[in-house]
Amino acid sequence: MSESEMKEPANGTNVFGMPLFGFPKMGLPGVIGDLADQGFARARTACQQMAEALDETYSCNARGTTDYGLKLIEISHANVTSALDFYADLLDSKSATDVLTLSTEQARKAFAMASEQNKELRELGRKLATETGGQIRNNFARVFGHAD
């Protein structure tokens, strides 16, 4: 079955069996047509601007997310190195007092590292949210400000 037969069957009904009303196929006259063309042109421009705005926003977000991910890798490396150093020191310990001292020192060191790492991650997360949110606000204001 051809595409035209699917849209308008020969018996005067559409594909759902509803009668066709035979509206004339004509363009919109004069002023209405011009207004429609202007509206479509404005909508096309707004869509292009919105696509550019989203591209800029995604790029900004990608940079921030990459920085955050790199910081997580750096933190993981520091934590693994600290744990391996601790285990190496434990193997060298000579007494239970040494083990207790090393364990206490490691716990203090781990707590201090975790506090500093959380502070760094919180700051990166805030920066990411602020930059991305600002980018979104600015782009939407720019796009919709021109679309009015």
Side-chain angles (χ1 to χ4, degrees):
M1 182 180 283
S2 73
E3 187 175 324
S4 63
E5 289 173 340
M6 288 176 55
K7 289 181 182 176
E8 292 185 30
N11 64 1
T13 61
N14 64 15
V15 292
F16 298 107
M18 302 293 293
L20 298 174
F21 293 109
F23 290 115
K25 295 180 180 174
M26 62 181 182
L28 295 173
V31 174
I32 296 174
D34 291 342
L35 289 174
D37 288 341
Q38 289 173 3
F40 287 131
R42 288 175 65 186
R44 184 179 306 113
T45 301
C47 285
Q48 289 169 343
Q49 290 175 338
M50 196 63 206
E52 291 169 5
L54 288 173
D55 185 48
E56 291 171 15
T57 302
Y58 291 148
S59 295
C60 176
N61 187 293
R63 284 188 302 272
T65 304
T66 300
D67 290 345
Y68 194 87
L70 289 173
K71 180 53 79 173
L72 283 175
I73 291 169
E74 180 184 318
I75 286 171
S76 297
H77 179 264
N79 291 341
V80 167
T81 301
S82 177
L84 290 175
D85 289 344
F86 170 65
Y87 292 130
D89 290 342
L90 276 180
L91 291 175
D92 290 339
S93 62
K94 306 284 188 224
S95 66
T97 307
D98 288 345
V99 170
L100 183 61
T101 303
L102 286 172
S103 297
T104 304
E105 180 62 27
Q106 179 65 19
R108 185 197 57 74
K109 183 179 171 185
F111 182 77
M113 279 178 58
S115 295
E116 183 61 31
Q117 291 166 348
N118 285 334
K119 180 180 170 186
E120 291 173 5
L121 288 176
R122 187 175 52 248
E123 182 61 29
L124 278 174
R126 186 200 56 77
K127 180 181 174 189
L128 173 63
T130 302
E131 287 178 357
T132 302
Q135 187 80 23
I136 290 170
R137 265 191 313 278
N138 294 340
N139 286 330
F140 272 74
R142 179 175 47 105
V143 169
F144 292 119
H146 290 304
D148 289 339

